[in-house]
């Protein structure tokens, strides 16, 4: 037990040291790891780790190519913020906390599907941004610049599918569960990612850079403040991510209860 808690602390420290996470984000990640361990043991930590390590590596992967396209230039320098950690892992954390308070097998399903959604979403954006073809925006109904929320490409969609199924497969290997339940988790992760795209397209705020005229999700571009062109003013990328992981988790929870009826 002490060894595992020490391991979580060490990985959190390392994440801050390597600038994967900001200091506050690394403390948040430590507490998240601790609660997940108390709820779902080391197997839960493997699910968290699969999401965290693959997303971090994919963010770093071909970063020179992504630099122009990425919405969040700042995150690459300082590491992911506490807000981003909670946006991706907050829904899963809630499921873990609920399991500690009121143990029930359904919380594990919600937890894993929330991470399947977060993984699908991160893989889709980090891999999809490298698509040779420009992505298609589902609300504007036209092709747009790479890296905008609400746009899809075949490569990004395939990446989302692969990310969700990787978590589903890990879940199948780690926990005493049926193939059908693991499949539900993977499918829910993929559907949660679709919800992410829809929310991103319809509600997420978009800004325009006054210097280069590019549309972006960032409040700062080319060193100047950007102007909001549409979207609901409080709907940031973090709000969209949190909502979609909650939806992905709940879809899996409902499917699970329905299977076991
Ligand atoms: Zn610009």
């Amino acid at each position: 037990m002490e060894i595992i808690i020490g391991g979580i602390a060490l990985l959190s420290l390392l994440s801050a040291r390597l600038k994967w996470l900001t200091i506050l984000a690394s403390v948040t990640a430590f507490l998240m790891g601790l609660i997940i361990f108390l709820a779902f043991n080391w197997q839960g930590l493997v699910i968290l780790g699969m999401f965290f390590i693959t997303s971090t590596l994919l963010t770093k992967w071909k970063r020179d190519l992504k630099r122009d396209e990425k919405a969040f230039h700042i995150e690459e320098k300082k590491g992911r913020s506490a807000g981003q950690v909670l946006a991706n892992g907050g829904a899963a954390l809630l499921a873990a906390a609920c399991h500690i308070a009121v143990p029930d097998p359904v919380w594990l399903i919600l937890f894993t599907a929330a991470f399947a959604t977060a993984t699908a979403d991160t893989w889709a954006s980090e891999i999809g941004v490298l698509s040779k073809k420009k992505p298609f925006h589902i609300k504007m109904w036209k092709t747009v610049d790479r890296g905008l929320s609400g746009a899809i490409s075949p490569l990004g969609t395939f990446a989302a599918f692969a990310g969700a199924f990787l978590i589903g497969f890990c879940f199948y290997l780690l926990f005493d569960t049926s193939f059908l339940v693991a499949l539900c988790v993977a499918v829910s992760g993929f559907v949660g990612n679709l919800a992410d795209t829809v929310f991103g397209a319809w509600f997420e705020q978009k800004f325009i850079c006054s210097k280069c005229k590019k549309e972006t999700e960032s409040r700062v571009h080319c060193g100047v403040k950007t102007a909001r062109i549409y979207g609901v003013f409080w709907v940031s990328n973090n709000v969209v991510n949190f909502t979609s992981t909650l939806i992905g988790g709940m879809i899996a929870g409902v499917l699970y209860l329905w299977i076991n009826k």
Side-chain angles (χ1 to χ4, degrees):
M1 172 130 181
E2 287 82 3
I3 294 174
I4 291 185
I5 294 173
I8 304 170
L10 203 68
L11 194 64
S12 305
L13 275 173
L14 193 72
S15 302
R17 189 79 189 80
L18 294 172
K19 303 211 161 142
W20 289 1
L21 298 174
T22 64
I23 305 286
L24 187 61
S26 130
V27 175
T28 309
F30 171 73
L31 294 174
M32 188 181 275
L34 200 62
I35 291 169
I36 289 172
F37 174 60
L38 293 175
F40 304 123
N41 223 312
W42 64 268
Q43 290 95 329
L45 287 178
V46 174
I47 299 282
L48 166 70
M50 287 304 285
F51 160 72
F52 180 64
I53 292 169
T54 62
S55 339
T56 304
L57 294 179
L58 281 175
T59 306
K60 305 285 169 204
W61 183 57
K62 298 200 176 176
R63 62 193 291 189
D64 293 338
L65 271 176
K66 290 175 189 167
R67 189 151 288 158
D68 295 340
E69 320 284 0
K70 279 294 293 277
F72 297 101
H73 297 271
I74 313 134
E75 125 188 347
E76 294 201 24
K77 284 177 211 131
K78 291 186 193 160
R80 287 196 157 87
S81 69
Q84 284 174 306
V85 169
L86 288 174
N88 285 303
L93 181 65
L94 276 177
C98 285
H99 184 69
I100 294 171
V102 194
D104 190 287
V106 77
W107 299 123
L108 175 64
I109 310 295
L110 264 100
F111 165 84
T112 316
F115 269 127
T117 307
T119 308
D121 177 41
T122 313
W123 284 34
S125 43
E126 294 299 338
I127 298 175
V129 78
L130 297 167
S131 169
K132 293 225 163 49
K133 280 191 198 155
K134 282 198 163 192
F136 187 78
H137 197 283
I138 59 165
K139 183 188 173 211
M140 293 186 254
W141 208 251
K142 59 169 189 176
T143 55
V144 290
D145 286 331
R146 291 172 194 85
L148 269 193
S149 280
I152 53 171
S153 66
L155 183 66
T157 307
F158 175 75
F161 187 83
F165 275 76
L166 174 79
I167 298 295
F169 184 64
C170 289
F171 174 64
Y172 183 67
L173 294 182
L174 290 164
F175 294 94
D176 179 29
T177 186
S178 71
F179 181 76
L180 183 63
V181 171
L183 188 68
C184 283
V185 166
V187 170
S188 304
F190 185 74
V191 175
N193 171 254
L194 295 182
D196 187 279
T197 307
V198 172
F199 291 146
W202 264 269
F203 306 115
E204 188 174 332
Q205 3 179 39
K206 302 282 188 310
F207 302 89
I208 193 157
C209 171
S210 59
K211 270 195 180 168
C212 70
K213 305 288 175 217
K214 236 183 194 176
E215 274 179 37
T216 172
E217 281 150 26
S218 184
R219 285 162 195 275
V220 179
H221 202 264
C222 299
V224 290
K225 263 195 89 180
T226 53
R228 191 173 78 234
I229 41 175
Y230 59 86
V232 181
F233 80 96
W234 52 271
V235 181
S236 65
N237 192 249
N238 283 352
V239 172
V240 170
N241 281 346
F242 179 76
T243 312
S244 61
T245 51
L246 204 59
I247 288 176
M250 292 205 303
I251 292 172
V254 169
L255 286 174
Y256 176 78
L257 294 175
W258 183 60
I259 289 170
N260 287 294
K261 201 166 61 173

